[in-house]
Each structure stands twice: as structure tokens, then as C-alpha cells.
Amino acid sequence: MIAAALAVPAFAQTAITMPDRPAVGTVAGTSIVNTAGLRYDLDGASLSTVSNTVTIVVAERLDVALMRDGHDAVVVRSAPTAITLTLTNLDNGNESFTLVATVSPGEVTLRTLVIDADGDGTYDPVRDPAPVDGRTPVLAPGQSIKLLAILVATSTAPAPATATLTVTAQSTTGSGTAGTTYAQAGDGGGDAVVGTTGASASVTIPLSTGPARPSLFKSQSVRAADGSPNAVRDSVITYTLEARFTDAVTGARIADPIPVGTVFVPGSLTLDGAPLSDAADGDAGRFDAAGNAPTGGAQGPGIAVALGQVAAASVHTVQFKAKIQ
């Protein structure tokens, strides 16, 4: 096991979401037909005639999206490791996509890239086929499929810090600069026009062969005396620290300085919902008003919570409150 100390990160994680069936507009290959009419009076009679009929075929817009599940570096072991991605046809027509996957540099090998037929995120060599000739099946407008990249570590040595998996998907009809036209190559014999994505999408995923590191996520909420979320004098900020552990560790501890411009709310410190005393006593937490708590190098008052030995696949949550002065 490894020892770990968690400090509050100076960055925020942003989740990205995408609809399964994005709006694609009028389906490619649709014939838009229009005929006008003219009515008139002549010699006391009401007459009419029609124009010639004009027809235009809706062009196929070539667009694609490719996203990975998760955002952290993926730890690859000697046993096969599956990385899940989602490919979406943003086209307004039926389209297949050419897939290319590469790993760089060494210590990790790409065993295969397959279509996750049942979308369960688990590789089954019987049910999950590799794309024929490197191409996906034809996808309907807005349709998504799951992909699995299967990796294995080829050495016990740690992978270089620059190790990555890159997966690229391109429309088989064509790709390039937005607006590029492929004459009569679209559905229904219409043109195919490259959309805003360039009809190509890539995802690069950092890889590691070492132990998965713990992560710490911080969130906050504000409540004023009038019940509003306004950050005014005497409003109370509730800080939530969520520590996630993939592997077992020892010596884990969480520390956070009380922000300048606020004061700690006594009795507000909790671990996994259970209250902790503010004093340095027998429980896991304490508030140090003198500024001597191990708060990652920060000076001033702060809270500290000792988690000690933590099991693999664990999550622990620390909360405390501070009042704006």
C-alpha cells in the first residue's frame, strides 16, 4: 500500500454532457418540391395556371462527435483494461465512420478497438465485434454507439508521463474544412457537405501503469440569514470535500485552511456525515485556531481530518462551515 496526503486542488472539474439523439434537421436525401399557382380573371372568367415544379435534394451534412467516459488518467494493468468511448453521428444522413486508435509511447499496448454491442462497458470477444475494415456500421442520424479500447501493460515499469491513447473517427464519405462539398456523394444522390466538426473527431486519453492516485473534489454552497444564496456578511459557506480512492492507501489525511475573510463555524466539522469534535482529541478531526494544523503549507487557522488506512474503492466526505465576516 502507499501513503497519501490530499490537498485541495486549485482547479475545477467540468462535466460535459451530450444528448443521445441530437437534433439533425431535415433528413439528407429528402426532396423538397415546390410548385406555385397563378389565378387571374379574363373576359369575366376566373382562370388559373401553375408554374413549373422545382425540386432540390437536401444535402448530407457530415458531422461526428466522439467522447470518452470519465476524465482522469486510466491505469492500465497486465490484465486487459477497457476504456469506453461514445461515438455519435451528428450527420443528418446515414453514415459510417472510419476508426483509428494509437498508443504512444511504449509500456502499454492496444490489443483491440471494438464496438460495445450491448453497451455494458465490458469486453466480450464473442458479442463485441471489431469494426470491419476499420469502419463502424452505418449509423442513422443522431445515433450513438459505444466503443471499447482494450489495453494491456507490457511492462512492470511505470509508463512515461506522456503515454496516451488517441482514438479518431472520420466520416467515410469524406472530411476536411467545413463547407467542403462532395458532389452527389450524399444520401439520395444529393451532395455531401462537411459540417462544423470537419467530419472528424479525436479523443486523447492519458495513461498510467502505476497505482491509481487518490483524487479530491471540493464544492461549496452559500446560505444567507434570509435563506438566500447571497454571499453577504454573516452568510454561511458549507464546504464539501470528497476524497476518492481507487487503491488502498495508508496515512491518508485531508486538510483545508479557513479562507481569509471568513471564520470557522464551531461544531460544523463532519466525516461521512458523523460529527467530529473541534479539539485535538480521540476522533479523526480537529480545528486548529492557532494555524498549526497540517494544511498543505498554508498559514492560519484550518481543519484537519486523519483518514489513516483506507481500503480500495473507497469514498470519504468531509464537511465544515465558515461564516463570511
Short mmCIF file of all heavy atoms in Angstrom, two decimals, residues 82-136:
data_model
loop_
_atom_site.label_atom_id
_atom_site.label_comp_id
_atom_site.label_asym_id
_atom_site.label_seq_id
_atom_site.Cartn_x
_atom_site.Cartn_y
_atom_site.Cartn_z
N ALA A 82 -10.37 -1.97 -20.21
CA ALA A 82 -11.30 -1.44 -21.22
C ALA A 82 -11.54 0.04 -20.98
O ALA A 82 -11.83 0.46 -19.86
CB ALA A 82 -12.62 -2.20 -21.19
N ILE A 83 -11.39 0.84 -22.03
CA ILE A 83 -11.71 2.26 -22.00
C ILE A 83 -12.94 2.48 -22.88
O ILE A 83 -12.96 2.08 -24.05
CB ILE A 83 -10.54 3.12 -22.48
CG1 ILE A 83 -9.33 2.93 -21.55
CG2 ILE A 83 -10.94 4.59 -22.55
CD1 ILE A 83 -8.11 3.70 -21.99
N THR A 84 -13.96 3.11 -22.33
CA THR A 84 -15.22 3.28 -23.04
C THR A 84 -15.30 4.66 -23.68
O THR A 84 -14.98 5.67 -23.05
CB THR A 84 -16.41 3.10 -22.08
OG1 THR A 84 -16.29 1.85 -21.41
CG2 THR A 84 -17.73 3.15 -22.83
N LEU A 85 -15.76 4.68 -24.94
CA LEU A 85 -15.98 5.93 -25.66
C LEU A 85 -17.37 5.89 -26.30
O LEU A 85 -17.92 4.82 -26.53
CB LEU A 85 -14.93 6.15 -26.75
CG LEU A 85 -13.46 6.14 -26.32
CD1 LEU A 85 -12.84 4.79 -26.63
CD2 LEU A 85 -12.69 7.25 -26.99
N THR A 86 -17.91 7.06 -26.60
CA THR A 86 -19.21 7.16 -27.26
C THR A 86 -19.04 7.91 -28.57
O THR A 86 -18.53 9.03 -28.60
CB THR A 86 -20.23 7.90 -26.38
OG1 THR A 86 -20.36 7.22 -25.13
CG2 THR A 86 -21.58 7.97 -27.07
N LEU A 87 -19.47 7.27 -29.66
CA LEU A 87 -19.43 7.86 -30.99
C LEU A 87 -20.85 8.21 -31.40
O LEU A 87 -21.76 7.37 -31.32
CB LEU A 87 -18.82 6.88 -31.99
CG LEU A 87 -18.88 7.26 -33.48
CD1 LEU A 87 -18.01 8.46 -33.75
CD2 LEU A 87 -18.44 6.09 -34.34
N THR A 88 -21.08 9.45 -31.84
CA THR A 88 -22.41 9.89 -32.24
C THR A 88 -22.38 10.45 -33.66
O THR A 88 -21.52 11.28 -33.99
CB THR A 88 -22.95 10.98 -31.29
OG1 THR A 88 -22.98 10.46 -29.96
CG2 THR A 88 -24.35 11.41 -31.69
N ASN A 89 -23.31 9.99 -34.47
CA ASN A 89 -23.47 10.50 -35.82
C ASN A 89 -24.27 11.80 -35.76
O ASN A 89 -25.49 11.79 -35.58
CB ASN A 89 -24.20 9.47 -36.70
CG ASN A 89 -24.45 9.98 -38.11
OD1 ASN A 89 -23.82 10.95 -38.55
ND2 ASN A 89 -25.37 9.35 -38.82
N LEU A 90 -23.59 12.93 -35.89
CA LEU A 90 -24.27 14.23 -35.87
C LEU A 90 -24.76 14.62 -37.26
O LEU A 90 -25.30 15.71 -37.46
CB LEU A 90 -23.31 15.32 -35.35
CG LEU A 90 -22.80 15.15 -33.91
CD1 LEU A 90 -21.89 16.30 -33.54
CD2 LEU A 90 -23.95 15.04 -32.93
N ASP A 91 -24.52 13.74 -38.22
CA ASP A 91 -24.96 13.90 -39.60
C ASP A 91 -26.49 13.92 -39.67
O ASP A 91 -27.16 13.41 -38.78
CB ASP A 91 -24.42 12.68 -40.38
CG ASP A 91 -24.30 12.90 -41.87
OD1 ASP A 91 -25.18 13.57 -42.42
OD2 ASP A 91 -23.33 12.39 -42.45
N ASN A 92 -27.03 14.50 -40.73
CA ASN A 92 -28.46 14.39 -40.97
C ASN A 92 -28.77 13.24 -41.93
O ASN A 92 -29.89 13.09 -42.41
CB ASN A 92 -29.04 15.69 -41.52
CG ASN A 92 -28.48 16.05 -42.89
OD1 ASN A 92 -27.40 15.59 -43.27
ND2 ASN A 92 -29.18 16.88 -43.63
N GLY A 93 -27.77 12.43 -42.21
CA GLY A 93 -27.94 11.27 -43.08
C GLY A 93 -27.37 10.02 -42.45
O GLY A 93 -26.83 10.04 -41.34
N ASN A 94 -27.50 8.92 -43.16
CA ASN A 94 -26.94 7.66 -42.70
C ASN A 94 -25.46 7.62 -43.05
O ASN A 94 -25.09 7.85 -44.21
CB ASN A 94 -27.68 6.49 -43.37
CG ASN A 94 -29.16 6.49 -43.02
OD1 ASN A 94 -29.53 6.32 -41.87
ND2 ASN A 94 -30.01 6.70 -44.02
N GLU A 95 -24.62 7.32 -42.06
CA GLU A 95 -23.18 7.43 -42.29
C GLU A 95 -22.43 6.42 -41.45
O GLU A 95 -22.82 6.12 -40.31
CB GLU A 95 -22.69 8.84 -41.94
CG GLU A 95 -21.25 9.13 -42.27
CD GLU A 95 -20.96 9.16 -43.77
OE1 GLU A 95 -21.91 9.26 -44.57
OE2 GLU A 95 -19.77 9.07 -44.13
N SER A 96 -21.34 5.88 -42.00
CA SER A 96 -20.41 5.06 -41.23
C SER A 96 -19.15 5.88 -40.99
O SER A 96 -18.93 6.92 -41.62
CB SER A 96 -20.09 3.77 -41.98
OG SER A 96 -19.41 4.06 -43.20
N PHE A 97 -18.31 5.39 -40.09
CA PHE A 97 -17.13 6.16 -39.69
C PHE A 97 -15.91 5.25 -39.62
O PHE A 97 -15.99 4.11 -39.15
CB PHE A 97 -17.38 6.82 -38.33
CG PHE A 97 -18.54 7.78 -38.35
CD1 PHE A 97 -19.83 7.33 -38.08
CD2 PHE A 97 -18.35 9.10 -38.70
CE1 PHE A 97 -20.90 8.19 -38.13
CE2 PHE A 97 -19.42 9.98 -38.75
CZ PHE A 97 -20.70 9.53 -38.47
N THR A 98 -14.80 5.77 -40.11
CA THR A 98 -13.53 5.07 -40.05
C THR A 98 -12.86 5.36 -38.72
O THR A 98 -12.76 6.52 -38.31
CB THR A 98 -12.62 5.51 -41.20
OG1 THR A 98 -13.28 5.23 -42.44
CG2 THR A 98 -11.30 4.77 -41.16
N LEU A 99 -12.40 4.31 -38.03
CA LEU A 99 -11.80 4.45 -36.70
C LEU A 99 -10.31 4.14 -36.76
O LEU A 99 -9.90 3.17 -37.39
CB LEU A 99 -12.48 3.50 -35.72
CG LEU A 99 -13.99 3.68 -35.54
CD1 LEU A 99 -14.54 2.57 -34.65
CD2 LEU A 99 -14.31 5.05 -34.95
N VAL A 100 -9.53 4.97 -36.07
CA VAL A 100 -8.10 4.74 -35.93
C VAL A 100 -7.73 4.96 -34.47
O VAL A 100 -8.12 5.97 -33.87
CB VAL A 100 -7.27 5.68 -36.83
CG1 VAL A 100 -5.78 5.47 -36.59
CG2 VAL A 100 -7.61 5.48 -38.30
N ALA A 101 -7.00 4.01 -33.88
CA ALA A 101 -6.57 4.13 -32.48
C ALA A 101 -5.08 3.86 -32.40
O ALA A 101 -4.57 2.92 -33.01
CB ALA A 101 -7.34 3.16 -31.59
N THR A 102 -4.37 4.70 -31.63
CA THR A 102 -2.92 4.54 -31.46
C THR A 102 -2.55 4.79 -30.00
O THR A 102 -3.23 5.55 -29.30
CB THR A 102 -2.13 5.51 -32.34
OG1 THR A 102 -2.52 6.87 -32.03
CG2 THR A 102 -2.39 5.25 -33.82
N VAL A 103 -1.48 4.13 -29.56
CA VAL A 103 -0.94 4.34 -28.22
C VAL A 103 0.50 4.81 -28.35
O VAL A 103 1.27 4.26 -29.13
CB VAL A 103 -0.98 3.05 -27.38
CG1 VAL A 103 -0.30 3.26 -26.03
CG2 VAL A 103 -2.41 2.60 -27.17
N SER A 104 0.86 5.85 -27.59
CA SER A 104 2.22 6.38 -27.65
C SER A 104 2.59 6.95 -26.29
O SER A 104 1.76 7.61 -25.64
CB SER A 104 2.29 7.49 -28.70
OG SER A 104 3.57 8.07 -28.73
N PRO A 105 3.86 6.76 -25.84
CA PRO A 105 4.85 5.80 -26.35
C PRO A 105 4.58 4.42 -25.80
O PRO A 105 3.42 4.09 -25.55
CB PRO A 105 6.17 6.37 -25.85
CG PRO A 105 5.79 7.08 -24.58
CD PRO A 105 4.38 7.58 -24.77
N GLY A 106 5.68 3.62 -25.52
CA GLY A 106 5.54 2.21 -25.15
C GLY A 106 5.05 1.98 -23.74
O GLY A 106 4.49 2.85 -23.10
N GLU A 107 5.23 0.75 -23.24
CA GLU A 107 4.81 0.23 -21.94
C GLU A 107 3.32 -0.15 -21.92
O GLU A 107 2.87 -0.86 -21.02
CB GLU A 107 5.09 1.21 -20.77
CG GLU A 107 6.48 1.78 -20.74
CD GLU A 107 7.55 0.73 -20.61
OE1 GLU A 107 7.25 -0.41 -20.24
OE2 GLU A 107 8.72 1.05 -20.90
N VAL A 108 2.55 0.34 -22.88
CA VAL A 108 1.13 0.00 -22.99
C VAL A 108 0.85 -0.38 -24.44
O VAL A 108 1.31 0.29 -25.36
CB VAL A 108 0.22 1.16 -22.56
CG1 VAL A 108 -1.25 0.82 -22.81
CG2 VAL A 108 0.43 1.49 -21.09
N THR A 109 0.08 -1.45 -24.63
CA THR A 109 -0.26 -1.92 -25.98
C THR A 109 -1.77 -1.90 -26.17
O THR A 109 -2.52 -2.30 -25.28
CB THR A 109 0.27 -3.35 -26.21
OG1 THR A 109 1.69 -3.33 -26.14
CG2 THR A 109 -0.16 -3.87 -27.57
N LEU A 110 -2.19 -1.44 -27.34
CA LEU A 110 -3.59 -1.52 -27.71
C LEU A 110 -3.86 -2.90 -28.29
O LEU A 110 -3.34 -3.25 -29.34
CB LEU A 110 -3.93 -0.44 -28.75
CG LEU A 110 -5.34 -0.49 -29.33
CD1 LEU A 110 -6.38 -0.16 -28.26
CD2 LEU A 110 -5.47 0.46 -30.52
N ARG A 111 -4.66 -3.69 -27.58
CA ARG A 111 -4.96 -5.03 -28.06
C ARG A 111 -6.01 -5.01 -29.16
O ARG A 111 -5.89 -5.70 -30.16
CB ARG A 111 -5.43 -5.91 -26.90
CG ARG A 111 -5.83 -7.31 -27.30
CD ARG A 111 -6.04 -8.22 -26.10
NE ARG A 111 -4.77 -8.51 -25.42
CZ ARG A 111 -4.68 -9.30 -24.36
NH1 ARG A 111 -5.77 -9.85 -23.84
NH2 ARG A 111 -3.50 -9.52 -23.79
N THR A 112 -7.06 -4.22 -28.97
CA THR A 112 -8.10 -4.14 -30.00
C THR A 112 -9.00 -2.95 -29.71
O THR A 112 -9.05 -2.44 -28.58
CB THR A 112 -8.93 -5.44 -30.05
OG1 THR A 112 -9.83 -5.38 -31.16
CG2 THR A 112 -9.73 -5.65 -28.78
N LEU A 113 -9.71 -2.51 -30.73
CA LEU A 113 -10.76 -1.50 -30.60
C LEU A 113 -12.03 -2.12 -31.15
O LEU A 113 -12.07 -2.54 -32.32
CB LEU A 113 -10.41 -0.23 -31.38
CG LEU A 113 -11.45 0.88 -31.38
CD1 LEU A 113 -11.59 1.47 -29.98
CD2 LEU A 113 -11.08 1.98 -32.37
N VAL A 114 -13.07 -2.21 -30.33
CA VAL A 114 -14.28 -2.94 -30.72
C VAL A 114 -15.51 -2.09 -30.48
O VAL A 114 -15.46 -1.06 -29.80
CB VAL A 114 -14.41 -4.27 -29.95
CG1 VAL A 114 -13.23 -5.17 -30.22
CG2 VAL A 114 -14.58 -4.01 -28.45
N ILE A 115 -16.62 -2.55 -31.03
CA ILE A 115 -17.92 -1.95 -30.78
C ILE A 115 -18.57 -2.68 -29.61
O ILE A 115 -18.70 -3.90 -29.62
CB ILE A 115 -18.80 -2.04 -32.03
CG1 ILE A 115 -18.17 -1.25 -33.18
CG2 ILE A 115 -20.21 -1.53 -31.75
CD1 ILE A 115 -18.80 -1.49 -34.52
N ASP A 116 -18.95 -1.93 -28.58
CA ASP A 116 -19.59 -2.50 -27.39
C ASP A 116 -21.05 -2.76 -27.74
O ASP A 116 -21.91 -1.89 -27.57
CB ASP A 116 -19.46 -1.52 -26.22
CG ASP A 116 -19.94 -2.11 -24.91
OD1 ASP A 116 -20.29 -3.30 -24.89
OD2 ASP A 116 -19.97 -1.37 -23.91
N ALA A 117 -21.33 -3.97 -28.23
CA ALA A 117 -22.64 -4.28 -28.83
C ALA A 117 -23.79 -4.06 -27.86
O ALA A 117 -24.86 -3.57 -28.25
CB ALA A 117 -22.64 -5.71 -29.35
N ASP A 118 -23.61 -4.44 -26.58
CA ASP A 118 -24.70 -4.29 -25.63
C ASP A 118 -24.52 -3.07 -24.72
O ASP A 118 -25.34 -2.83 -23.83
CB ASP A 118 -24.87 -5.55 -24.77
CG ASP A 118 -23.56 -5.95 -24.08
OD1 ASP A 118 -22.60 -5.16 -24.12
OD2 ASP A 118 -23.51 -7.06 -23.53
N GLY A 119 -23.44 -2.30 -24.94
CA GLY A 119 -23.25 -1.05 -24.20
C GLY A 119 -23.02 -1.21 -22.72
O GLY A 119 -23.23 -0.26 -21.96
N ASP A 120 -22.55 -2.39 -22.28
CA ASP A 120 -22.37 -2.61 -20.84
C ASP A 120 -20.99 -2.22 -20.33
O ASP A 120 -20.71 -2.32 -19.13
CB ASP A 120 -22.66 -4.07 -20.49
CG ASP A 120 -21.66 -5.05 -21.12
OD1 ASP A 120 -20.81 -4.60 -21.93
OD2 ASP A 120 -21.74 -6.26 -20.82
N GLY A 121 -20.10 -1.76 -21.22
CA GLY A 121 -18.77 -1.33 -20.80
C GLY A 121 -17.82 -2.46 -20.51
O GLY A 121 -16.69 -2.22 -20.08
N THR A 122 -18.23 -3.71 -20.75
CA THR A 122 -17.40 -4.88 -20.50
C THR A 122 -17.11 -5.59 -21.82
O THR A 122 -18.03 -5.85 -22.60
CB THR A 122 -18.10 -5.85 -19.54
OG1 THR A 122 -18.37 -5.17 -18.30
CG2 THR A 122 -17.22 -7.06 -19.25
N TYR A 123 -15.84 -5.93 -22.04
CA TYR A 123 -15.45 -6.55 -23.30
C TYR A 123 -15.81 -8.03 -23.32
O TYR A 123 -15.44 -8.79 -22.44
CB TYR A 123 -13.95 -6.37 -23.53
CG TYR A 123 -13.43 -7.06 -24.76
CD1 TYR A 123 -14.07 -6.93 -25.99
CD2 TYR A 123 -12.28 -7.86 -24.70
CE1 TYR A 123 -13.59 -7.56 -27.13
CE2 TYR A 123 -11.79 -8.48 -25.84
CZ TYR A 123 -12.46 -8.34 -27.05
OH TYR A 123 -11.98 -8.97 -28.16
N ASP A 124 -16.55 -8.42 -24.35
CA ASP A 124 -16.89 -9.82 -24.59
C ASP A 124 -16.49 -10.12 -26.03
O ASP A 124 -17.12 -9.62 -26.97
CB ASP A 124 -18.39 -10.06 -24.40
CG ASP A 124 -18.78 -11.53 -24.56
OD1 ASP A 124 -18.11 -12.24 -25.34
OD2 ASP A 124 -19.75 -11.95 -23.91
N PRO A 125 -15.42 -10.89 -26.25
CA PRO A 125 -14.94 -11.13 -27.61
C PRO A 125 -15.95 -11.81 -28.52
O PRO A 125 -15.82 -11.75 -29.74
CB PRO A 125 -13.69 -12.01 -27.40
CG PRO A 125 -13.80 -12.56 -26.03
CD PRO A 125 -14.59 -11.58 -25.24
N VAL A 126 -16.95 -12.45 -27.95
CA VAL A 126 -17.97 -13.10 -28.77
C VAL A 126 -19.00 -12.08 -29.26
O VAL A 126 -19.39 -12.07 -30.43
CB VAL A 126 -18.67 -14.23 -27.99
CG1 VAL A 126 -19.81 -14.82 -28.80
CG2 VAL A 126 -17.66 -15.30 -27.60
N ARG A 127 -19.42 -11.20 -28.36
CA ARG A 127 -20.51 -10.26 -28.70
C ARG A 127 -20.01 -8.93 -29.24
O ARG A 127 -20.76 -8.24 -29.94
CB ARG A 127 -21.37 -10.01 -27.47
CG ARG A 127 -22.18 -11.20 -27.01
CD ARG A 127 -23.00 -10.85 -25.79
NE ARG A 127 -22.16 -10.42 -24.67
CZ ARG A 127 -22.62 -10.07 -23.48
NH1 ARG A 127 -23.92 -10.06 -23.27
NH2 ARG A 127 -21.80 -9.70 -22.50
N ASP A 128 -18.78 -8.52 -28.89
CA ASP A 128 -18.30 -7.19 -29.23
C ASP A 128 -17.36 -7.27 -30.43
O ASP A 128 -16.17 -7.60 -30.28
CB ASP A 128 -17.59 -6.56 -28.03
CG ASP A 128 -18.51 -6.43 -26.82
OD1 ASP A 128 -19.73 -6.30 -27.04
OD2 ASP A 128 -18.02 -6.45 -25.69
N PRO A 129 -17.84 -6.96 -31.63
CA PRO A 129 -17.03 -7.15 -32.83
C PRO A 129 -16.08 -5.99 -33.09
O PRO A 129 -16.35 -4.84 -32.74
CB PRO A 129 -18.09 -7.23 -33.94
CG PRO A 129 -19.18 -6.32 -33.44
CD PRO A 129 -19.21 -6.51 -31.94
N ALA A 130 -14.96 -6.30 -33.73
CA ALA A 130 -14.08 -5.26 -34.23
C ALA A 130 -14.70 -4.67 -35.50
O ALA A 130 -15.36 -5.39 -36.26
CB ALA A 130 -12.70 -5.82 -34.53
N PRO A 131 -14.55 -3.37 -35.76
CA PRO A 131 -15.12 -2.78 -36.98
C PRO A 131 -14.55 -3.45 -38.22
O PRO A 131 -13.34 -3.66 -38.33
CB PRO A 131 -14.70 -1.31 -36.89
CG PRO A 131 -14.41 -1.07 -35.43
CD PRO A 131 -13.88 -2.38 -34.91
N VAL A 132 -15.41 -3.82 -39.17
CA VAL A 132 -14.97 -4.45 -40.41
C VAL A 132 -14.25 -3.40 -41.26
O VAL A 132 -14.78 -2.32 -41.51
CB VAL A 132 -16.18 -5.02 -41.18
CG1 VAL A 132 -15.72 -5.63 -42.51
CG2 VAL A 132 -16.90 -6.06 -40.33
N ASP A 133 -13.00 -3.73 -41.65
CA ASP A 133 -12.17 -2.80 -42.42
C ASP A 133 -11.99 -1.47 -41.70
O ASP A 133 -11.80 -0.41 -42.33
CB ASP A 133 -12.75 -2.55 -43.81
CG ASP A 133 -12.78 -3.80 -44.67
OD1 ASP A 133 -11.87 -4.64 -44.51
OD2 ASP A 133 -13.71 -3.95 -45.48
N GLY A 134 -12.06 -1.52 -40.36
CA GLY A 134 -11.85 -0.31 -39.58
C GLY A 134 -13.02 0.66 -39.61
O GLY A 134 -12.89 1.81 -39.18
N ARG A 135 -14.20 0.20 -40.08
CA ARG A 135 -15.35 1.08 -40.20
C ARG A 135 -16.48 0.60 -39.28
O ARG A 135 -16.69 -0.59 -39.11
CB ARG A 135 -15.87 1.12 -41.64
CG ARG A 135 -14.90 1.73 -42.63
CD ARG A 135 -15.54 1.79 -44.01
NE ARG A 135 -14.66 2.40 -44.99
CZ ARG A 135 -14.99 2.64 -46.26
NH1 ARG A 135 -16.20 2.29 -46.69
NH2 ARG A 135 -14.13 3.20 -47.09
N THR A 136 -17.22 1.55 -38.76
CA THR A 136 -18.41 1.22 -37.98
C THR A 136 -19.54 0.81 -38.93
O THR A 136 -19.48 1.08 -40.14
CB THR A 136 -18.90 2.43 -37.18
OG1 THR A 136 -19.43 3.42 -38.09
CG2 THR A 136 -17.78 3.04 -36.36
#
